[in-house]
Amino acid sequence: MKPVLVFDWNGTLLDDAHALLQTTNAILDRFGHAPIDMKTFRERCDVPLSLLYRNIGMSQDEIAAVDRDGSAVFHDTYEPLADRADLREGARRLLELAHREAALSVIVSNHIVAPLRSQLRRLEIHDYINEVIAFESRATQYKSMSKGERLRLYMQKNKLDPASTFMIGDMPIEIDIARNLGLVSISITGGFVSDSRLRAANPDYTINNHYELLPILQRHGFFQNA
């Protein structure tokens, strides 16, 4: 049996924490608020992003203004910054290995399908990803089915074994999803939340980069000859 690798995208495969921080500070500046640093960002980041905005002191009216027009204020700032972001350390090698070993690599994200697929092509890893599960458009982002429910239905449809499915993410939400679905949870530091918040969520494993994922998979009996 081959493993199923379920990756979050932002902050997990894509190294875009600084892009999101810059976007957040641009939004804060737009409404006359002081910028925040990375430490504050990682302590207060949450999804949907309206929770982040609330956590850093924005009013409900300001949050509603950001959410207007499919969050155009956010996306028009973030996407050009994301276009300059690279993959996290070791991600390309791990995806290449999974592809060579005929393992299933799936992305489950709160981002939007079209720009996410565009990033996969830009980074030349689109051939390594078997499925992208994300929101259909700006209009439905955070408003339609949750990523956990989407993953549950995908696993059910494809008869995937939870015991050989690994969920890799940079936020507590991925740990919660893995726990609810009976998956192996792997947290990666250096993304959108602090190390202490990840530890408090009690993942099965914690890694600092994707090179450290291989020994975990081997411990579970996969990729023994890699």
Side-chain angles (χ1 to χ4, degrees), residues 58-103:
M58 291 177 61
S59 70
Q60 284 302 117
D61 287 345
E62 290 169 341
I63 294 169
V66 174
D67 194 44
R68 201 169 295 134
D69 300 323
S71 301
V73 171
F74 171 86
H75 288 287
D76 291 350
T77 305
Y78 167 80
E79 297 298 348
L81 295 170
D83 284 342
R84 300 198 293 271
D86 204 347
L87 292 171
R88 294 288 307 269
E89 183 183 0
R92 186 180 303 278
R93 180 180 172 189
L94 194 282
L95 290 170
E96 288 172 347
L97 173 61
H99 182 68
R100 188 167 69 244
E101 295 286 330

Side-chain angles (χ1 to χ4, degrees), residues 1-214:
M1 183 178 292
K2 303 291 185 180
V4 179
L5 306 182
V6 180
F7 296 95
D8 173 54
W9 174 243
N10 302 99
T12 298
L13 286 176
L14 186 67
D15 191 6
D16 62 339
H18 286 279
L20 185 54
L21 174 61
Q22 285 180 261
T23 302
T24 303
N25 280 332
I27 290 171
L28 286 171
D29 181 67
R30 182 185 182 98
F31 294 100
H33 294 282
I36 60 173
D37 59 16
M38 182 61 81
K39 183 177 185 296
T40 302
F41 170 78
R42 285 180 168 146
E43 285 299 331
R44 302 183 186 178
C45 189
D46 208 341
V47 289
L49 289 176
S50 57
L51 296 178
L52 165 63
Y53 303 145
R54 185 191 67 189
N55 292 344
I56 56 177
M58 291 177 61
S59 70
Q60 284 302 117
D61 287 345
E62 290 169 341
I63 294 169
V66 174
D67 194 44
R68 201 169 295 134
D69 300 323
S71 301
V73 171
F74 171 86
H75 288 287
D76 291 350
T77 305
Y78 167 80
E79 297 298 348
L81 295 170
D83 284 342
R84 300 198 293 271
D86 204 347
L87 292 171
R88 294 288 307 269
E89 183 183 0
R92 186 180 303 278
R93 180 180 172 189
L94 194 282
L95 290 170
E96 288 172 347
L97 173 61
H99 182 68
R100 188 167 69 244
E101 295 286 330
L104 198 64
S105 292
V106 176
I107 290 175
V108 179
S109 176
N110 278 323
H111 201 42
I112 299 165
V113 171
L116 202 164
R117 287 194 178 278
S118 177
Q119 293 290 355
L120 296 180
R121 292 190 294 271
R122 176 181 70 84
L123 294 161
E124 299 182 343
I125 58 170
H126 53 288
D127 288 339
Y128 303 148
I129 303 299
N130 299 93
E131 187 66 62
V132 173
I133 302 170
F135 288 105
E136 303 83 1
S137 68
R138 292 184 182 186
T140 63
Q141 192 176 26
Y142 297 117
K143 295 179 176 68
S144 59
M145 192 184 302
S146 71
K147 63 192 289 186
E149 181 64 8
R150 289 171 189 268
L151 178 58
R152 185 189 70 78
L153 292 174
Y154 176 81
M155 292 186 65
Q156 184 180 69
K157 178 182 177 182
N158 292 278
K159 297 180 173 59
L160 302 180
D161 179 13
S164 59
T165 301
F166 300 78
M167 185 154 199
I168 305 98
D170 67 313
M171 298 185 75
I173 182 64
E174 285 89 36
I175 302 170
D176 292 340
I177 291 170
R179 188 174 294 119
N180 289 338
L181 297 180
L183 319 181
V184 180
S185 61
I186 302 173
S187 286
I188 185 166
T189 64
F192 289 177
V193 306
S194 64
D195 295 4
S196 60
R197 289 179 63 194
L198 288 178
R199 286 195 301 270
N202 197 29
D204 295 315
Y205 300 96
T206 300
I207 59 176
N208 301 300
N209 59 65
H210 289 279
Y211 291 118
E212 296 175 6
L213 182 53
L214 179 57

